[in-house]
Amino acid sequence: MEKVLIVEDEIHARTGLTELIESWGYRTEGAADGVEGLEKAIAWSPAIVVTDLKMPRMDGMELLDRLADLPQHLA
């Protein structure tokens, strides 16, 4: 089963996306902002990251840039 990381600062949107994607048969994890998303991506190694663009601490574009800079075995 593929893993999907949902990075969204709005709790209801994050919960809704998580539930929807789980109903499609994926394993999901949620993160409240880019900093938490980066930590979870490194620890959990999701196949897919769905991210909001505007978030506190680290926005979605910076998160994607940092994920792209990670060694493949960590991303």
Side-chain angles (χ1 to χ4, degrees), residues 26-45:
Y26 295 93
R27 289 176 41 205
T28 62
E29 254 319 299
D33 59 40
V35 172
E36 183 182 351
L38 182 59
E39 292 168 357
K40 285 193 175 186
I42 290 169
W44 197 55
S45 299

Side-chain angles (χ1 to χ4, degrees), residues 43-70:
W44 197 55
S45 299
I48 301 167
V49 175
V50 177
T51 185
D52 188 4
L53 291 179
K54 294 184 180 181
M55 297 179 290
R57 299 200 306 162
M58 181 190 304
D59 67 30
M61 291 307 296
E62 184 178 350
L63 170 62
L64 294 175
D65 286 341
R66 290 195 184 191
L67 289 172
D69 290 341
L70 290 175

Side-chain angles (χ1 to χ4, degrees), residues 1-6 8 24 48 54 61 63 68:
M1 199 184 316
E2 294 291 338
K3 297 187 275 186
V4 179
L5 176 62
I6 309 297
E8 168 62 64
W24 296 340
I48 301 167
K54 294 184 180 181
M61 291 307 296
L63 170 62

